[in-house]
Structures are given as C-alpha cells and as structure tokens.
Amino acid sequence: MPKRILLDTDPGIDDSLAILLALASPELSLEGISVVHGNCSLEQATINGLSVLELAHAEHIPLAVGCELPLVQPSLLAPETHGNTGLGYANLPEPRIKPVSQHGSDFLIEKILSSPGEMTLVAVGPLTNVALAIRKEPRIVGALNELVIMGGAIRHEGNTTPLAEFNTFVDPHAAHIVYHAGIPTTLVPLDVSYQCVLLASDVERLLKIESPIPQFIKAATDFYMEYHDSYQGIKGCVINDPLALALTFAPELCEYQSLPVDVDISGGVSTGKTFADFYNYEKKPANMKVALGVRPRDFIELFLKRMEKLSLTAFKLS
Ligand code: RIB
Ligand code: CA
C-alpha cells in the first residue's frame, strides 16, 4: 500500500522538485497540496503549484490555498533565491486547473481527520498553515501518522540570517506551535539538506530525455544555481525539499537523533534559530527525530532516476 501523504509547500524551485518527486514515487500516494506564502507570494505560489501539477499530468491532485502572511512577523519573500515568479527562469503555461475552495488549513484538517492514523504531512515551507490547522482543530495532532518538516539549522549556519533557516525565520511563531504540538515529527534541517547539491552535470544528464520536465528543471535550477554561486559560493543548488519528501519512503538516506528541539521567538538577533538540547540540560523529553547525517549522492541518484522515469512518462502523455 502506498504511503498516503499531504504536502504543505511554498513553490518555490526546490518545492516544485519535491512535488515532481512525490508524483514519480510509487511508494507514495500524494493526496493533496496546501500552498503557503514563503519563497514567493501566495498568489504566485498557487499558480506555480497548479502549473507543476499540469506539467506532470497530475491535474487530479487537489490543491488548496492557505495563508498569505506569517502569524505575527511581517511578510518575507525570497525573490533573490527563487526569482520573481518563484520558479527561476522557468516559464510554464498559465494553469487551466483551479484550487479547491477550502482554505489550506481546513483542507489539511479534513484530509487528516477523514483518515485517522493514515496521513503523513510533509511541510516544506513556513509552518503557518500547519500551525493554524493545529489551533483550529487540535484533534489533528492525534490523527496524523507523522509530520516531516524541512526547516531549521541545528549545528549549521543559517541561510536567511547568520543563525536562522528561511522557513523557520519567516514564521518562527508557527514553528514554535508545531514543534511543541506533540505530533510524531522528523526534522530535516540545513545540516543535511545543504549536503545535497544538484550539479549542472546532473541536470545535463536529465536533458538527454526529450521531455518538458527536464527542460523545466533546467530553467528553474539555472536561476537557483546562480543564487547559490553568488550568495554562498556553491557550485550547484541545494535541493532541500525533495530530500525531506524522499525520507517518507527512503528514511535510510539519513541518520537521526531524537532530541528536544526548540525555536527562538524572543524577538532578538537569534529569532527563528532552531536549537537542540544535545546534553538535555533542560531535562525535557525529545520532541522530534532530527536528521543529522545523510548520504547525499545516494539521494541525488535516487532523485535523478525518478526524474528520468517521470520525464519519459510525461513525454509519452504529452
Ligand atoms: O531554507 C530552505 C527552505 O526554505 C526550502 O523549503 C525552500 O524552498 C524555502 O522554502
Ligand atoms: Ca519550500
């Protein structure tokens, strides 16, 4: 039986790769997408999510529009990282399909409560939708099978402030609610995702397949690689969100430690910083499993093989 997953996302270049990986993985049944502000505006992220579903001939997947702003912080988007459209240089056709009418947080609540114990939620954007869903309907805490979060930086430097990772910095209050809700949670921080670098040669390999999907990946990641090179001197681009998605069906790609993890909401210079109490000074129980080791090239190879397979399928359908 495929693992039933929901994806909360701010597409976003690496988010779009996570959507494609979910659609390319027979171990998973992607049962819905909720969109959140983050890499680009909610409106643009919604268009991007719908366009990527159409690109992969997955128009049947329901997509719900969630929160436009963080719970408390002012809006922070990432055009320097993902481009003004949120998909770099890619230029997908205006989507024909429309979102469902429910708010993203209500969509998550309905999907989770309709199948208690069966849904895994993968959250790869700011946690505003997830936090709102928990506050609106606390029963989802006991009904969710698992929550996998891409976010945070434990021993790794920040990618948005010197200390904080983007998803947690954009909405630290939402992260605080979610981290302490009591849901069985796996955190996939920059400590592992920054080791997962997609190279230009990897994209060239995909382009050997005559299909719209490699062409999309090339146009989107060209922009993303320029950002990584100019801002961080990285030759390639880190694909954070597909790594988090992959751990739902290939957890062996990482090593984990169960730890008490928290996020700073004190409003000072370290706002949004995630930290783990490795020596349990605070005598608190672990609230999540944290991925701290990874086999990067094994993950990249898995990603490339799945994109090759999806590209061939999409080519036949187009
Ligand atoms: O810090 C990386 C995370 O922030 C990724 O999910 C990326 O898509 C952005 O949302
Ligand atoms: Ca994201």
Side-chain angles (χ1 to χ4, degrees):
M1 272 293 273
K3 178 176 273 192
R4 301 176 68 188
I5 69 164
L6 296 164
L7 181 66
D8 188 75
T9 173
D10 58 331
I13 294 170
D14 59 331
D15 302 70
S16 60
L17 302 182
I19 294 170
L20 293 175
L21 182 59
L23 296 170
S25 300
E27 304 88 341
L28 301 178
S29 167
L30 177 60
E31 311 234 341
I33 291 176
S34 48
V35 175
V36 67
H37 64 89
N39 289 321
C40 57
S41 70
L42 179 69
E43 183 187 5
Q44 189 61 57
T46 300
I47 291 166
N48 294 344
L50 295 169
S51 302
V52 171
L53 287 175
E54 284 191 352
L55 172 72
H57 301 283
E59 294 88 344
H60 59 288
I61 306 283
L63 179 145
V65 183
C67 295
E68 186 172 11
L69 293 171
L71 296 182
V72 175
Q73 299 288 92
S75 172
L76 175 67
L77 307 179
E80 76 293 335
T81 311
H82 295 264
N84 290 329
T85 68
L87 293 180
Y89 296 126
N91 188 13
L92 294 176
E94 194 74 17
R96 295 181 309 279
I97 55 175
K98 301 292 179 205
V100 300
S101 58
Q102 272 173 310
H103 187 277
S105 60
D106 297 322
F107 177 76
L108 292 175
I109 291 167
E110 182 192 287
K111 283 288 186 185
I112 293 165
L113 292 187
S114 64
S115 303
E118 293 187 27
M119 290 294 181
T120 292
L121 174 58
V122 183
V124 296
L127 289 168
T128 318
N129 288 343
V130 181
L132 191 60
I134 291 168
R135 282 290 186 261
K136 278 180 169 180
E137 183 44 86
R139 286 185 296 149
I140 65 171
V141 169
L144 249 185
N145 176 44
E146 186 189 14
L147 171 62
V148 179
I149 299 171
M150 192 283 132
I154 301 294
R155 291 190 169 114
H156 197 279
E157 67 272 4
N159 66 353
T160 302
T161 73
L163 291 169
E165 176 277 329
F166 180 80
N167 288 336
T168 37
F169 181 73
V170 166
D171 200 338
H173 303 91
H176 196 273
I177 289 169
V178 177
Y179 286 17
H180 299 289
I183 302 169
T185 300
T186 299
L187 186 74
V188 187
L190 300 183
D191 304 65
V192 289
S193 69
Y194 255 61
Q195 297 179 53
C196 299
V197 181
L198 185 72
L199 305 171
S201 55
D202 294 327
V203 178
E204 287 311 310
R205 168 176 152 183
L206 295 179
L207 286 170
K208 291 194 177 87
I209 300 172
E210 182 66 32
S211 162
I213 289 181
Q215 288 151 17
F216 164 74
I217 294 174
K218 166 76 172 157
T221 57
D222 271 357
F223 185 97
Y224 202 34
M225 290 186 188
E226 287 170 8
Y227 159 79
H228 282 83
D229 190 10
S230 61
Y231 277 72
Q232 297 164 351
I234 294 172
K235 302 301 178 198
C237 58
V238 292
I239 53 173
N240 314 281
D241 297 345
L243 175 64
L245 190 282
L247 297 185
T248 61
F249 62 88
E252 69 282 358
L253 288 168
C254 283
E255 288 95 47
Y256 308 86
Q257 255 188 277
S258 289
L259 291 162
V261 174
D262 208 340
V263 55
D264 182 356
I265 54 172
S266 59
V269 68
S270 57
T271 290
K273 170 64 184 158
T274 48
F275 51 96
D277 187 356
F278 285 93
Y279 302 114
N280 206 5
Y281 294 118
E282 303 289 323
K283 302 292 179 272
K284 287 180 183 168
N287 57 335
M288 51 181 84
K289 241 173 37 172
V290 183
L292 290 169
V294 63
R295 291 185 282 118
R297 288 307 298 180
D298 289 354
F299 160 62
I300 296 291
E301 183 57 30
L302 176 149
F303 174 75
L304 293 173
K305 281 198 171 68
R306 302 269 164 127
M307 289 304 103
E308 286 168 334
K309 194 178 70 155
L310 186 70
S311 301
L312 287 168
T313 315
F315 174 65
K316 287 182 194 128
L317 288 170
S318 55

